[in-house]
Amino acid sequence: MLGIELKGHDYKYEIAELFKLFTTQFRFVKEDEQFEKILINEIIKDGNCIKSITKYYEEELLKFCKEESFDISSLSQEDIKKKSKTIIKRSIFKVLDDLYDMYVPWGILTGIRPVKIVHSLLDEGLSEDEIRNNLKGNYLIKDEKIDLALDIAKRERIFIYPINKNKISLYVSIPFCPTRCVYCSFPANPMKQFGHLRDNYIKAIIKEIKGLAKLLKETNKEVETLYIGGGTPTTLESDQLDNLIKSLFRELDLTKIKEFTVEAGRPDTITKDKLEVMKKHNVTRISINPQTMNDETLVKIGRDHNVNDIINCFNMARELGFDNINMDIILGLVDENVAMVRNTLEKIKELSPESLTVHTLAIKRASALKENLDKYELTRYEEMISMINLSMEYAKDMGLNPYYMYRQKHMLGNLENIGYAKEGFECIYNIQIMEEKQSNLAVGAGAISKYVYVDEDRIERTDNVKNVEIYIDRVDEMIQRKEKEVYKNVN
């Protein structure tokens, strides 16, 4: 166990998140507690200079010492606080890097949106070389990840800029699933227990849509993209799905939307009549998400379908004329190795989807995997790196470019999720939701609306309740929450 002692500050949360990139075997030192191995970080003010000094001792012998500093002249108190945290993390990171000799490619970054930093630097007018130096010097990011972030930012900018504050994206939550996958933490109510609530849920969500329509009309907002997600939206029967989409177009002005996505998601919920409903309503993009193309893994993660079902659903969608299909996979699933990931990618390559989203397994607090972690052997770190690299190679070979990226806490290897797409098939909704330059309003149980105030560099959120039955009973309150946030900011 490694002891951590902080002097001159108490940024325990930030330091703990940084340590988790290397090890979980640590704790903060309590008074008079003794450790054979101890890391001490101290922040010192010396005139106009602030220094962060990190020392690592084994049995009272100094093994490593790293120092970082900056000049506080002309800086605000807020900037001094931010820079202090940065140099504290940098000095600690350099000691941990020497101590553990691990591949931690994102440096001190523990946030989920690294591309946002690139956008802000581009907005300041920095050149690519200046951005590279900034990311490497300030955050200690590896060159290959800097290249990735820059590449994605450049692809995203044509969809984000110029920023139009009157445009929004709209998310519709369908929180039902056939079964709950072991890694899932999303609102996903299994059909056996909750399927009987679907009709009442549709009535409630249509009521919330009507309230939202009034709000958008009064504030002159235009819906740019529409995304129906979940859960699994195709757990709705075809007539329920038809009713929902008809209501969206009846209540909202969707004449100018650029993109309409429905997560068809799991093959065990996809039928020809449901696909025909989506085609009739001009759904432009669907997701058919295998997560893996290995039958034994599908059983282990709680899926009630096999690989042939995935292939058959994909081909059926193609026959019905869907020309923009996304597929999701997850790297690091239970007992999967690099050879099994290669098999998944080979089968997806044969199908040739327009986009592929590659997720790295994240151990979510609300998932069954987290609750039963000792039952599963998780992918080793080195294997995860190989899986990521392999997926990049296959994406390139399939003519898919990286176009958006995000990271999650508790991801295996502290790596990243990447969306790849053929030229012209980038998902605008995904880009906007990730880079947070556009407000995203959301309806349904568990839906979270984000209100982006670009001029103030401020984001506010309103959450809908997660429980489906409570949502149905309290849908009026969900409408009022949105109204309260929007109208308090209207002059």
Side-chain angles (χ1 to χ4, degrees):
M1 182 66 65
L2 175 61
I4 308 171
E5 184 176 348
L6 306 179
K7 296 181 178 181
H9 68 91
D10 193 32
Y11 298 133
K12 286 185 178 179
Y13 174 79
E14 292 86 348
I15 303 307
E17 291 299 303
L18 184 63
F19 264 80
K20 289 173 188 175
L21 305 184
F22 295 88
T23 179
T24 57
Q25 301 303 303
F26 68 88
R27 72 168 182 263
F28 291 98
V29 175
K30 298 177 182 177
E31 191 174 354
D32 297 327
E33 196 172 11
Q34 300 297 314
F35 286 82
E36 287 186 8
K37 300 177 181 179
I38 188 166
L39 182 145
I40 301 172
N41 175 263
E42 184 174 12
I43 194 90
I44 299 170
K45 183 178 180 184
D46 183 8
N48 284 333
C49 182
I50 288 185
K51 297 178 182 178
S52 171
I53 303 170
T54 300
K55 296 179 180 180
Y56 170 73
Y57 296 87
E58 288 184 4
E59 296 179 342
E60 299 185 354
L61 292 176
L62 179 64
K63 296 289 186 178
F64 302 110
C65 179
K66 301 293 180 181
E67 182 178 319
E68 294 281 324
S69 63
F70 70 95
D71 192 318
I72 65 174
S73 301
S74 304
L75 293 180
S76 67
Q77 287 301 311
E78 184 62 29
D79 285 339
I80 291 172
K81 183 178 179 181
K82 287 180 181 178
K83 284 184 173 289
S84 295
K85 286 184 181 181
T86 299
I87 66 166
I88 288 167
K89 290 198 284 187
R90 272 209 309 262
S91 67
I92 293 175
F93 182 94
K94 288 180 177 180
V95 167
L96 295 176
D97 200 32
D98 284 344
L99 182 59
Y100 290 99
D101 190 29
M102 286 177 60
Y103 177 69
V104 184
W106 288 103
I108 66 171
L109 281 188
T110 54
I112 67 173
R113 294 179 173 86
V115 180
K116 283 187 75 173
I117 298 172
V118 179
H119 281 300
S120 66
L121 296 174
L122 285 169
D123 290 345
E124 292 174 19
L126 272 65
S127 68
E128 285 194 24
D129 284 343
E130 289 171 325
I131 291 171
R132 289 178 194 279
N133 291 335
N134 185 298
L135 297 178
K136 184 178 289 188
N138 283 332
Y139 304 105
L140 308 178
I141 303 174
K142 301 285 189 188
D143 288 338
E144 62 270 23
K145 298 305 181 186
I146 294 174
D147 290 342
L148 178 64
L150 266 167
D151 188 14
I152 290 172
K154 287 187 287 185
R155 291 184 188 280
E156 288 182 337
R157 288 179 82 79
I158 63 173
F159 299 102
I160 296 172
Y161 295 91
I163 294 171
N164 186 333
K165 290 182 284 187
N166 287 327
K167 290 185 178 180
I168 67 145
S169 49
L170 175 60
Y171 182 82
V172 180
S173 169
I174 307 299
F176 304 100
C177 275
T179 58
R180 189 178 184 88
C181 298
V182 296
Y183 52 77
C184 182
S185 65
F186 289 101
N189 302 277
M191 288 291 291
K192 285 182 180 179
Q193 295 101 308
F194 299 95
H196 66 284
L197 295 172
R198 286 176 296 173
D199 280 333
N200 285 337
Y201 181 77
I202 294 298
K203 290 176 184 176
I205 206 169
I206 290 172
K207 188 173 186 179
E208 189 179 7
I209 289 165
K210 289 181 178 180
L212 178 64
K214 179 175 178 289
L215 190 60
L216 296 181
K217 186 174 182 180
E218 291 179 355
T219 54
N220 193 33
K221 300 296 183 186
E222 176 186 316
V223 180
E224 181 179 44
T225 61
L226 171 60
Y227 195 108
I228 302 180
T232 307
T234 41
T235 51
L236 298 181
E237 301 298 336
S238 56
D239 60 330
Q240 293 170 329
L241 185 61
D242 186 47
N243 183 25
L244 172 63
I245 297 176
K246 278 181 180 176
S247 299
L248 283 163
F249 278 85
R250 182 177 61 248
E251 303 300 336
L252 298 159
D253 180 2
L254 300 176
T255 57
K256 296 179 181 178
I257 61 170
K258 295 179 180 177
E259 176 184 272
F260 182 7
T261 297
V262 176
E263 285 185 358
R266 291 176 52 161
D268 44 348
T269 67
I270 299 172
T271 61
K272 185 178 180 181
D273 56 344
K274 292 177 189 179
L275 289 171
E276 287 174 339
V277 166
M278 288 184 264
K279 195 65 183 171
K280 178 181 72 175
H281 289 297
N282 298 313
V283 171
T284 58
R285 180 179 182 271
I286 63 170
S287 286
I288 297 174
N289 300 331
Q291 313 306 2
T292 177
M293 296 293 258
N294 296 291
D295 282 332
E296 57 266 48
T297 310
L298 288 170
V299 173
K300 291 176 183 177
I301 65 176
R303 292 278 183 130
D304 284 343
H305 62 81
N306 59 36
V307 172
N308 282 334
D309 294 331
I310 297 165
I311 294 169
N312 291 337
C313 285
F314 188 97
N315 291 333
M316 180 167 57
R318 280 285 195 244
E319 289 167 6
L320 289 171
F322 286 95
D323 59 3
N324 187 354
I325 303 178
N326 172 72
M327 302 188 87
D328 282 16
I329 63 171
I330 298 177
L331 306 181
L333 288 171
V334 178
D335 296 330
E336 286 219 336
N337 56 30
V338 175
M340 296 172 78
V341 171
R342 184 182 293 277
N343 179 64
T344 290
L345 291 164
E346 277 290 339
K347 285 183 165 59
I348 288 175
K349 182 180 176 182
E350 290 173 10
L351 296 173
S352 189
E354 281 64 43
S355 59
L356 172 68
T357 308
V358 180
H359 299 272
T360 306
L361 183 66
I363 314 301
K364 298 296 190 65
R365 187 172 61 248
S367 69
L369 185 58
K370 176 69 173 178
E371 295 167 6
N372 302 285
L373 200 55
D374 58 327
K375 296 180 183 178
Y376 302 101
E377 182 182 347
L378 297 177
T379 303
R380 295 193 310 273
Y381 183 75
E382 294 81 4
E383 271 200 315
M384 182 60 69
I385 300 296
S386 298
M387 290 175 181
I388 287 276
N389 292 337
L390 187 66
S391 67
M392 287 182 170
E393 291 170 15
Y394 268 85
K396 185 177 181 180
D397 195 39
M398 293 164 64
L400 305 174
N401 303 311
Y403 77 96
Y404 91 109
M405 171 177 64
Y406 69 102
R407 299 164 71 224
Q408 295 166 274
K409 291 184 178 180
H410 315 304
M411 288 177 68
L412 294 185
N414 188 43
L415 296 165
E416 64 278 335
N417 302 321
I418 304 176
Y420 299 92
K422 294 178 180 177
E423 199 74 36
F425 290 92
E426 299 85 354
C427 178
I428 303 170
Y429 176 90
N430 283 339
I431 292 171
Q432 291 287 13
I433 196 71
M434 202 51 56
E435 302 313 327
E436 299 182 319
K437 300 293 185 183
Q438 180 183 88
S439 293
N440 172 252
L441 272 63
V443 296
I448 301 173
S449 295
K450 291 195 296 187
Y451 309 84
V452 178
Y453 302 101
V454 178
D455 295 341
E456 305 169 47
D457 193 24
R458 177 169 62 93
I459 296 173
E460 302 292 343
R461 291 171 172 79
T462 58
D463 297 2
N464 280 5
V465 294
K466 292 182 180 180
N467 182 283
V468 173
E469 292 168 296
I470 295 175
Y471 169 80
I472 292 169
D473 290 339
R474 293 169 53 188
V475 66
D476 288 331
E477 182 188 331
M478 305 304 107
I479 298 169
Q480 290 164 8
R481 289 180 185 183
K482 291 180 178 63
E483 290 174 343
K484 182 179 179 181
E485 174 58 36
V486 170
Y487 289 134
K488 79 179 185 183
N489 292 282
V490 174
N491 295 326

